[in-house]
Amino acid sequence: MSAHCQLTGRAPGFGKSVSHSHRRTSRRFDPNIQRKRYWLPSEGRHIRLTLSAKGIKTVDTIGIEAAVARIRARGEKV
């Protein structure tokens, strides 16, 4: 599963870990990605979305129908 939110588009960030001696090594900052199942009443079926924690809160605010419309507007298949 890729660390990518279908709704907000959040993806991993990259940077460096800096040790006490100030040596730098590459690291990756992953978003908090969850797989969540929603009932889509307009199509009479469940859908499974890969969302960040912020994406889940956005679905709670705007509703699943509007969220799916945004995802489809970006060209992703649901």
Side-chain angles (χ1 to χ4, degrees):
M1 177 173 71
S2 69
H4 169 263
C5 178
Q6 289 181 296
L7 182 58
T8 62
R10 288 204 175 180
F14 296 90
K16 301 283 187 182
S17 291
V18 182
S19 70
H20 178 70
S21 65
H22 216 66
R23 289 182 66 126
R24 293 165 187 242
T25 54
S26 294
R27 63 159 295 179
R28 179 175 153 144
F29 296 90
D30 283 326
N32 183 7
I33 297 294
Q34 312 287 327
R35 283 192 43 94
K36 192 132 168 69
R37 187 172 170 236
Y38 289 100
W39 173 252
L40 195 58
S42 63
E43 297 182 17
R45 68 184 180 107
H46 285 96
I47 57 169
R48 193 173 299 278
L49 297 176
T50 305
L51 299 171
S52 63
K54 181 170 176 137
I56 292 170
K57 292 174 191 172
T58 303
V59 170
D60 291 343
T61 304
I62 66 173
I64 187 63
E65 298 288 344
V68 168
R70 281 191 194 178
I71 293 169
R72 287 183 173 150
R74 287 190 16 206
E76 284 195 47
K77 187 179 174 191
V78 178

